[in-house]
Amino acid sequence: MDKFRMIFQFLQSNQESFMNGICGIMALASAQMYSAFDFNCPCLPGYNAAYSAGILLAPPLVLFLLGLVMNNNVSMLAEEWKRPQGHRAKDPAVLRYMFCSMAQRALIAPVVWVAVTLLDGKCFLCAFCTAVPVSLLGNGSLVPGLPPPELARLLARVPCPEIYEGDWLLAREVAVRYLRCISQALGWSFVLLTTLLAFVVRSVRPCFTQAAFLKSKYWSHYIDIERKLFDETCTEHAKAFAKVCIQQFFEAMNHDLELGHAHRALAAGTTGSAAPAATEGVDEEREKLHGITDQGTMNRLLTSWHECKPPLRLGQEEPLVDNGWAGGAPRPSRKEVATYFSKV
């Protein structure tokens, strides 16, 4: 368990490296998925293009959504976007930076899928087999004698060698090589364009907007760290709260049992004294509660944290506004709020 705990702490402290590793794994998984995928072109006019478009676009969309779901910052971005403004203004530049950082990582696997699909050529062959220039690659003198529906039906079977019967019009190997050549050219062009775009986004853009980039990056990291520290503080408080409740329950039960023994001893004519309840452990855990010792106060503090986060000015007191507490419930004292948020 200690090894797993150390690994988990390492991943938490190196979240960026962890997410880059996840994106790399997803990229490799997308390539492996395509190699294991059984591509079956319907070889029917009108259906080939729809099937190929689905194979080319649907899996990248799924991989993109999975990349966003696996990123822990998605919930943080949604929370920061939808939270009430309160004492802290929302910066659109920070939100854009957070979304762009997540989108760049989530796009790696879809880009790999599209590139592998184009380089393989099967999808492109299925989609554009009816657009092969027969007059240039085959026996063009026979094309005017064929009705367009019959020609389209014949060319649509080019991806299916077991049912293709048009070698007298166009050699299947010629059409396959022609379309795969175009598909691979498009695939390498796509890889080149995406690489150049990634280079521009990652390297060139900060050079022109360095100050704005540094501000957005700093406050994005601040929001992430603040959320983690708040969760850790709440976890510690909940642990101390539960421990005090359990200790009080057991001490109350022990006290009742001792009173029962004392009554029986008096009825039997003997005397005895009940041992005092141990309170040292309870007092130690109460110090960790920072004065928040009931459910109502804790709920009000959590509501205030969501609706009215403290301003980003250290060492200055801000009045608690009425809209910081839901339902008009009585507010906790300023001392309770200050002690609770002192660790965040």
Coordinates of all heavy atoms in Angstrom, one line a residue, residues 262-303:
A262 N -22.9 1.3 38.8 CA -23.0 2.0 40.1 C -24.3 1.7 40.7 O -24.4 1.5 41.9 CB -22.7 3.4 39.9
H263 N -25.5 1.8 39.9 CA -26.8 1.5 40.5 C -26.9 0.1 41.1 O -27.5 -0.1 42.1 CB -27.9 1.8 39.5 CG -28.1 3.3 39.2 ND1 -28.4 4.2 40.2 CD2 -28.0 4.0 38.1 CE1 -28.6 5.4 39.7 NE2 -28.3 5.3 38.4
R264 N -26.3 -0.8 40.3 CA -26.4 -2.2 40.8 C -25.5 -2.4 42.0 O -25.9 -3.2 42.9 CB -25.9 -3.2 39.7 CG -27.0 -3.3 38.6 CD -26.6 -4.5 37.7 NE -25.4 -4.3 36.9 CZ -25.4 -3.7 35.7 NH1 -26.5 -3.3 35.2 NH2 -24.2 -3.5 35.1
A265 N -24.4 -1.7 42.1 CA -23.6 -1.8 43.3 C -24.3 -1.2 44.5 O -24.2 -1.7 45.6 CB -22.2 -1.1 43.0
L266 N -25.0 0.0 44.3 CA -25.7 0.6 45.4 C -26.9 -0.4 45.9 O -27.1 -0.5 47.1 CB -26.3 1.9 45.0 CG -25.3 3.1 44.9 CD1 -25.9 4.3 44.3 CD2 -24.5 3.3 46.2
A267 N -27.5 -1.0 44.9 CA -28.6 -1.9 45.3 C -28.1 -3.1 46.1 O -28.7 -3.7 47.0 CB -29.3 -2.4 44.1
A268 N -26.8 -3.5 45.8 CA -26.2 -4.6 46.5 C -25.5 -4.2 47.8 O -25.0 -5.1 48.5 CB -25.2 -5.3 45.6
G269 N -25.5 -2.9 48.1 CA -24.9 -2.4 49.3 C -23.4 -2.2 49.3 O -22.8 -2.0 50.3
T270 N -22.8 -2.1 48.1 CA -21.4 -1.8 47.9 C -21.3 -0.5 47.3 O -22.2 0.1 46.7 CB -20.7 -2.9 47.0 OG1 -21.4 -2.8 45.7 CG2 -20.9 -4.3 47.6
T271 N -20.1 0.1 47.5 CA -19.8 1.5 46.9 C -18.8 1.4 45.8 O -18.0 0.5 45.8 CB -19.3 2.4 48.0 OG1 -18.1 1.8 48.6 CG2 -20.4 2.6 49.1
G272 N -18.9 2.2 44.9 CA -17.9 2.3 43.8 C -17.9 3.7 43.2 O -18.9 4.4 43.3
S273 N -16.9 4.0 42.5 CA -16.9 5.3 41.8 C -16.6 5.1 40.4 O -15.8 4.2 40.0 CB -15.7 6.2 42.4 OG -14.5 5.5 42.3
A274 N -17.3 5.8 39.6 CA -17.2 5.7 38.1 C -15.9 6.4 37.7 O -15.6 7.5 38.1 CB -18.4 6.3 37.4
A275 N -15.2 5.8 36.8 CA -14.0 6.4 36.3 C -14.3 7.5 35.4 O -15.3 7.5 34.6 CB -13.2 5.3 35.5
P276 N -13.6 8.6 35.5 CA -13.9 9.8 34.6 C -13.6 9.4 33.2 O -12.7 8.7 32.8 CB -12.9 10.8 35.1 CG -11.8 10.1 35.8 CD -12.4 8.8 36.4
A277 N -14.4 10.0 32.3 CA -14.3 9.8 30.9 C -13.0 10.4 30.4 O -12.6 11.5 30.8 CB -15.5 10.3 30.1
A278 N -12.4 9.7 29.5 CA -11.1 10.2 28.9 C -11.5 11.3 27.8 O -12.2 11.0 26.9 CB -10.3 9.1 28.3
T279 N -10.9 12.5 28.1 CA -11.3 13.6 27.2 C -10.0 14.2 26.4 O -10.2 15.1 25.7 CB -11.9 14.7 28.0 OG1 -11.0 15.2 29.0 CG2 -13.2 14.3 28.6
E280 N -8.9 13.6 26.7 CA -7.7 14.1 26.1 C -7.7 14.0 24.6 O -7.4 14.9 23.8 CB -6.4 13.5 26.7 CG -6.2 13.7 28.2 CD -5.0 13.1 28.7 OE1 -4.3 12.4 27.9 OE2 -4.6 13.2 29.9
G281 N -8.1 12.7 24.1 CA -8.2 12.5 22.7 C -9.2 13.4 22.0 O -8.9 13.9 20.9
V282 N -10.3 13.6 22.6 CA -11.3 14.5 22.1 C -10.8 15.9 22.0 O -11.1 16.6 21.0 CB -12.6 14.4 22.9 CG1 -13.7 15.3 22.3 CG2 -13.1 13.0 22.9
D283 N -10.2 16.4 23.0 CA -9.7 17.8 23.0 C -8.6 18.0 21.9 O -8.6 19.0 21.2 CB -9.0 18.1 24.3 CG -10.1 18.2 25.4 OD1 -11.3 18.3 25.1 OD2 -9.7 18.0 26.6
E284 N -7.8 17.0 21.6 CA -6.8 17.1 20.6 C -7.4 17.2 19.2 O -7.0 18.0 18.4 CB -5.8 15.9 20.6 CG -4.9 15.9 21.9 CD -4.0 14.7 21.9 OE1 -4.1 13.9 20.9 OE2 -3.3 14.5 22.9
E285 N -8.5 16.4 19.0 CA -9.1 16.4 17.7 C -10.0 17.7 17.5 O -10.1 18.2 16.4 CB -10.0 15.2 17.5 CG -9.2 13.9 17.4 CD -8.3 13.9 16.3 OE1 -8.6 14.5 15.2 OE2 -7.2 13.2 16.4
R286 N -10.5 18.2 18.6 CA -11.3 19.5 18.6 C -10.4 20.6 18.1 O -11.0 21.6 17.4 CB -11.9 19.8 19.9 CG -13.2 19.0 20.2 CD -13.8 19.4 21.5 NE -15.1 18.7 21.8 CZ -16.2 19.1 21.3 NH1 -16.3 20.1 20.5 NH2 -17.3 18.4 21.6
E287 N -9.2 20.6 18.4 CA -8.3 21.7 18.0 C -8.2 21.7 16.5 O -7.9 22.8 15.9 CB -6.9 21.6 18.6 CG -6.9 21.7 20.2 CD -5.6 21.5 20.8 OE1 -4.6 21.2 20.0 OE2 -5.4 21.7 22.0
K288 N -8.3 20.6 15.8 CA -8.2 20.5 14.4 C -9.4 21.0 13.7 O -9.4 21.2 12.5 CB -7.8 19.1 14.0 CG -6.6 18.5 14.5 CD -6.3 17.1 14.1 CE -5.1 16.5 14.7 NZ -4.8 15.1 14.2
L289 N -10.5 21.1 14.4 CA -11.8 21.5 13.8 C -11.9 23.0 13.6 O -12.8 23.5 12.9 CB -13.0 21.1 14.7 CG -13.1 19.6 14.8 CD1 -14.3 19.3 15.8 CD2 -13.3 18.9 13.5
H290 N -10.9 23.8 14.2 CA -10.9 25.3 14.0 C -12.2 25.9 14.4 O -12.7 26.9 13.7 CB -10.6 25.6 12.5 CG -9.3 25.0 12.1 ND1 -8.0 25.3 12.5 CD2 -9.1 24.0 11.2 CE1 -7.1 24.6 11.9 NE2 -7.7 23.8 11.1
G291 N -12.9 25.4 15.3 CA -14.2 26.0 15.8 C -15.4 25.6 15.0 O -16.5 26.0 15.3
I292 N -15.3 24.8 14.0 CA -16.4 24.4 13.1 C -16.8 23.1 13.7 O -16.3 22.0 13.3 CB -16.0 24.3 11.6 CG1 -15.3 25.6 11.2 CG2 -17.3 24.1 10.8 CD1 -16.1 26.8 11.4
T293 N -17.8 23.1 14.5 CA -18.2 21.9 15.3 C -19.6 21.4 15.1 O -20.1 20.6 15.8 CB -18.0 22.1 16.8 OG1 -18.7 23.2 17.2 CG2 -16.5 22.3 17.1
D294 N -20.3 21.9 14.1 CA -21.7 21.5 13.8 C -21.9 21.5 12.3 O -21.2 22.2 11.5 CB -22.7 22.3 14.5 CG -22.7 23.7 14.1 OD1 -21.9 24.6 14.6 OD2 -23.5 24.0 13.2
Q295 N -22.9 20.7 11.9 CA -23.2 20.5 10.5 C -23.7 21.8 9.8 O -23.3 22.1 8.7 CB -24.2 19.4 10.3 CG -24.5 19.1 8.8 CD -25.6 18.0 8.7 OE1 -26.1 17.6 9.7 NE2 -25.7 17.5 7.5
G296 N -24.5 22.6 10.5 CA -25.0 23.8 9.9 C -24.0 24.8 9.6 O -24.0 25.4 8.5
T297 N -23.0 25.0 10.5 CA -21.9 26.0 10.2 C -21.1 25.5 9.1 O -20.6 26.3 8.3 CB -21.1 26.1 11.5 OG1 -22.0 26.5 12.6 CG2 -20.0 27.2 11.3
M298 N -20.8 24.2 9.1 CA -19.9 23.7 8.0 C -20.6 23.9 6.6 O -20.0 24.3 5.6 CB -19.6 22.2 8.2 CG -18.6 21.6 7.3 SD -17.0 22.4 7.5 CE -16.2 22.0 6.0
N299 N -21.9 23.6 6.6 CA -22.6 23.8 5.3 C -22.6 25.3 4.9 O -22.5 25.6 3.7 CB -24.1 23.3 5.5 CG -24.2 21.8 5.6 OD1 -23.3 21.1 5.1 ND2 -25.3 21.3 6.1
R300 N -22.8 26.2 5.8 CA -22.7 27.6 5.5 C -21.4 28.0 4.9 O -21.2 28.8 4.0 CB -23.1 28.4 6.7 CG -24.6 28.3 7.1 CD -25.1 29.4 8.0 NE -24.3 29.4 9.2 CZ -24.7 28.7 10.3 NH1 -25.8 27.9 10.3 NH2 -24.0 28.8 11.4
L301 N -20.3 27.5 5.5 CA -19.0 27.8 5.1 C -18.7 27.2 3.7 O -18.1 27.9 2.8 CB -17.9 27.2 6.1 CG -17.8 28.0 7.4 CD1 -16.9 27.2 8.3 CD2 -17.3 29.4 7.1
L302 N -19.2 26.0 3.4 CA -19.0 25.5 2.1 C -19.8 26.3 1.0 O -19.4 26.5 -0.1 CB -19.4 24.0 2.1 CG -18.6 23.1 2.9 CD1 -19.2 21.7 2.9 CD2 -17.2 23.0 2.4
T303 N -21.0 26.7 1.4 CA -21.8 27.5 0.5 C -21.1 28.9 0.2 O -21.1 29.3 -0.9 CB -23.2 27.8 1.1 OG1 -23.8 26.5 1.3 CG2 -24.1 28.6 0.2

